[in-house]
Amino acid sequence: MSELREPLDADVLDALRRVSTATVTTQLFARGLRNTFMQGLRPLNPGHTRMVGEAFTLRHIPAREDLDVLAVFKDYDHPQRLAVESVGPGQVLVMDCRGQTRAASIGGILATRLLRRGVAGLVTDGAVRDSPFFAELPLPAFAAGVCATTNLARHHAVDLQVPIGCAEVPVYPGDVIVADAEGVVCVPRHLAAEIARDASAQERLEEFIQSEVDAGAPLRGTYPPDEVTLRRYEARLQDPDASR
């Protein structure tokens, strides 16, 4: 079902948990990647939005009336159920629902199972049902909408651990999913370490620039920083109490 990969370095994951999706998208843009942010997906529980983990993917095609009937859920190996029981601890279940929100892609019971299995979170470009429950669930979850209708009305789960599109963003199994209150971004796995490093450096510099602007500095020479500002920043790194 999935190929063996070297585990993601814990320090890389920790660094990605501390940076914003805005910073991550800027670093990806600098490397020529423009389509990485999953537009339109919102957190279902605003108290639990920070999420980092490798993608475990589930693909849906449109439902067909003679196949997608309630009886299929008696099969414990139904692809949707199998995905929930297969995604690993620390991974993120990412679902391709073709942007269709007129039926749910997952509900409260399956989300609870994900939580208890130690999954980092879930992402769908479809809808969820039991949204009041999701609003209290301590599991990062992002969706394009909510809908009480069961998934079988619109979705037929077919493939696990294959490349998918989620909110028009390509996601490959093992890519790194990073989320915060602003939304979800997909980082190609092979770039995760350098993105984590450079995003952390960018945010340290931008925190300094923010403080300079807040203190009254003009944009010219400050944002972007000129050599004088950069020297002042380097001095601040060496001595946090250094004056402007």
Side-chain angles (χ1 to χ4, degrees):
M1 182 181 300
S2 61
E3 61 184 86
L4 294 176
R5 304 181 183 89
E6 287 294 324
L8 293 165
D9 190 279
D11 290 340
V12 170
L13 296 176
D14 287 342
L16 290 172
R17 288 188 187 97
R18 292 192 296 270
V19 297
S20 71
T21 55
T23 300
V24 171
T25 59
T26 297
Q27 287 297 325
L28 290 167
F29 184 85
R31 291 162 173 82
L33 296 169
R34 299 167 180 257
N35 182 33
T36 58
F37 184 78
M38 299 180 188
Q39 184 66 35
L41 306 191
R42 303 302 305 161
L44 298 171
N45 182 345
H48 291 81
T49 60
R50 276 287 179 180
M51 177 177 71
V52 174
E54 68 173 55
F56 184 102
T57 63
L58 172 62
R59 184 174 74 93
H60 295 83
I61 62 173
R64 203 174 82 179
E65 289 79 1
D66 61 330
L67 297 177
D68 294 291
V69 296
L70 285 174
V72 302
F73 283 151
K74 294 180 180 180
D75 179 7
Y76 290 113
D77 290 325
H78 181 275
Q80 183 203 46
R81 306 302 205 252
L82 186 59
V84 169
E85 289 292 334
S86 300
V87 57
Q91 293 183 323
V92 177
L93 177 59
V94 185
M95 291 180 278
D96 173 1
C97 294
R98 312 169 319 284
Q100 294 291 327
T101 58
R102 294 180 62 185
S105 58
I106 196 169
I109 292 175
L110 297 185
T112 299
R113 178 58 178 157
L114 291 173
L115 175 68
R116 297 307 174 206
R117 295 192 64 250
V119 171
L122 69 92
V123 177
T124 174
D125 65 355
V128 304
R129 68 196 309 197
D130 307 321
S131 58
F133 178 80
F134 274 95
E136 302 295 330
L137 189 70
L139 176 75
F142 292 77
V146 299
C147 184
T149 305
T150 183
N151 64 322
L152 297 173
R154 289 280 172 177
H155 305 302
H156 181 92
V158 286
D159 290 323
L160 283 64
Q161 288 294 72
V162 296
I164 62 170
C166 187
E168 298 296 324
V169 172
V171 180
Y172 288 77
D175 281 349
V176 181
I177 304 299
V178 182
D180 60 13
E182 198 151 43
V184 185
V185 61
C186 179
V187 178
R189 187 186 184 91
H190 69 280
L191 293 176
E194 63 182 83
I195 293 294
R197 178 197 65 212
D198 292 352
S200 298
Q202 178 185 330
E203 292 210 340
R204 287 192 295 270
L205 174 58
E206 289 187 349
E207 286 173 6
F208 173 76
I209 292 172
Q210 180 79 38
S211 69
E212 294 282 287
V213 172
D214 190 44
L219 293 182
R220 185 177 296 275
T222 307
Y223 187 59
D226 59 15
E227 291 184 4
V228 173
T229 299
L230 288 173
R231 283 198 297 270
R232 193 160 57 247
Y233 169 64
E234 293 296 334
R236 181 71 61 86
L237 288 180
Q238 297 300 320
D239 180 5
D241 297 322
S243 63
R244 294 179 63 243

